[in-house]
Amino acid sequence: MSFDWQPVWLTLKLASVTTIFLLMIGTPIAWWLSQTESRFKHAISAVVALPLVLPPTVLGFYLLVFLGPNGPGGQLTQALGIGTLPFTFSGLVFASVLYSLPFVVQPLQNAFEALGKRPLEVAATLRASKSDRFFNVAVPLARPGFLTAMVLGFAHTVGEFGVVLMIGGNIPGETKVLSVAIYDHVETLEYGQAHLLSAGMIGFAFTVLLALYLLNGRVSRGEAG
């Protein structure tokens, strides 16, 4: 029984690229939510958390409509010369960022809120600018939150199915990720391959979560010491 590594590498590539974008987008959102007293805070929090309660196929369907050739997103990307995003790797990244956003924003927001106001106030009295306070005070102190956000964002992207199937389809080498490959094997009654990939994903999930708990425990003990 030959093993097709292509979905594995494509999934790892998707999860890596998505995690980078999640940190770039999720960090300022989490920081703003942790610091603001705006009346729109709860509304923005609800929008960010929507993927936690929406069926993945619902999000995938509306992304397909939005990014399709007749949707506003699709018309914009075509006008920019990018083409349409559905059924491309770029489309998978876009959908994955939206779907995994709460798994990055919420840990970061909790970490920033746990800092309290005092460290930033002390830095302000030392004439540190807002950017200095963020990068040199808030970010280092929120390191466990960043670690959790990175791991959860990466792992959640690896385990996606409904959204990636709706927006990416099943194109070998382009959009056929691990979860879709497992679905394919089950549909064609290739249970041996399905068992192999599924067992690998279970082992991956367990290893990631175990490493996260161990690292967070070590960081906590180091800070306490």
Side-chain angles (χ1 to χ4, degrees):
M1 178 176 64
S2 60
F3 185 77
D4 183 10
W5 286 97
Q6 202 169 53
V8 177
W9 302 129
L10 184 62
T11 301
L12 294 176
K13 177 184 175 183
L14 174 64
S16 300
V17 173
T18 298
T19 301
I20 292 172
F21 278 106
L22 282 170
L23 289 173
M24 291 170 59
I25 297 169
T27 300
I29 294 175
W31 177 249
W32 182 82
L33 289 173
S34 70
Q35 301 298 308
T36 187
E37 296 180 3
S38 169
R39 60 181 177 176
F40 299 110
K41 174 180 178 177
H42 297 301
I44 299 298
S45 296
V47 170
V48 171
L50 268 178
L52 295 175
V53 295
L54 275 180
T57 48
V58 171
L59 180 60
F61 169 69
Y62 281 112
L63 281 176
L64 195 60
V65 172
F66 178 77
L67 296 173
N70 298 319
Q75 291 178 354
L76 175 62
T77 56
Q78 289 178 94
L80 294 173
I82 301 173
T84 54
L85 294 183
F87 310 111
T88 66
F89 181 79
S90 298
L92 285 186
V93 172
F94 185 87
S96 298
V97 167
L98 289 182
Y99 188 51
S100 295
L101 191 60
F103 291 87
V104 169
V105 170
Q106 291 185 356
L108 289 178
Q109 182 182 348
N110 292 338
F112 288 142
E113 289 176 346
L115 298 180
K117 300 291 185 181
R118 181 152 183 79
L120 299 176
E121 290 172 351
V122 170
T125 61
L126 298 175
R127 298 183 180 179
S129 65
K130 288 185 177 181
S131 60
D132 284 336
R133 278 175 260 165
F134 175 73
F135 287 107
N136 297 321
V137 178
V139 170
L141 291 177
R143 186 174 55 178
F146 276 95
L147 177 61
T148 300
M150 289 172 60
V151 171
L152 290 182
F154 187 92
H156 189 252
T157 303
V158 168
E160 290 173 5
F161 175 69
V163 170
V164 295
L165 183 61
M166 292 288 287
I167 199 70
N170 186 3
I171 305 172
E174 182 72 22
T175 63
K176 186 176 181 179
V177 293
L178 263 174
S179 56
V180 176
I182 293 172
Y183 178 77
D184 257 6
H185 289 310
V186 173
E187 278 215 314
T188 54
L189 303 180
E190 296 174 342
Y191 291 145
Q193 290 277 19
H195 275 304
L196 188 60
L197 292 176
S198 298
M201 290 192 75
I202 291 173
F204 168 79
F206 175 79
T207 302
V208 163
L209 291 174
L210 179 62
L212 176 62
Y213 290 135
L214 290 174
L215 287 172
N216 272 343
R218 187 173 299 174
V219 170
S220 299
R221 287 193 299 271
E223 291 176 349

